[in-house]
């Protein structure tokens, strides 16, 4: 189910997948941002203080293993 975040609070957005993969995402349609999953395939991003709905969209995933695999991906959280 959905989690409600109160205005003026931060939230944590978690990504999971292939260990050490690079995740590219956007926030509210802005510039691409990247994070790298840790050795267990997890990473969390803390949002800035939220005062309105904010949408995090998954753009792509690139594995760090050889051969390197780049895939577009989709998914979002608001």
């Amino acid at each position: 189910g959905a989690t409600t975040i109160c205005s003026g609070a931060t939230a944590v957005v978690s990504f999971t997948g292939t260990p050490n993969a690079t995740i590219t995402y956007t926030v509210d349609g802005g510039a691409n941002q990247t994070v790298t999953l840790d050795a267990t395939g997890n990473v969390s991003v803390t949002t800035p203080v939220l005062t309105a709905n904010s949408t995090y969209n998954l753009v792509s995933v690139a594995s760090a293993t050889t051969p390197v695999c780049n895939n577009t991906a989709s998914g979002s959280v608001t």
Side-chain angles (χ1 to χ4, degrees):
T3 299
T4 301
I5 307 301
C6 295
S7 181
T10 61
V12 175
V13 178
S14 297
F15 298 91
T16 58
T18 303
N20 304 310
T22 300
I23 305 295
T24 302
Y25 66 98
T26 61
V27 180
D28 296 329
N32 283 354
Q33 300 184 49
T34 59
V35 291
T36 301
L37 299 180
D38 65 17
T40 63
N42 297 289
V43 70
S44 295
V45 175
T46 300
T47 68
V49 172
L50 299 171
T51 56
N53 284 349
S54 187
T55 302
Y56 283 62
N57 284 307
L58 181 61
V59 174
S60 65
V61 178
S63 73
T65 59
T66 302
V68 173
C69 177
N70 293 303
N71 288 304
T72 56
S74 63
S76 66
V77 60
T78 300

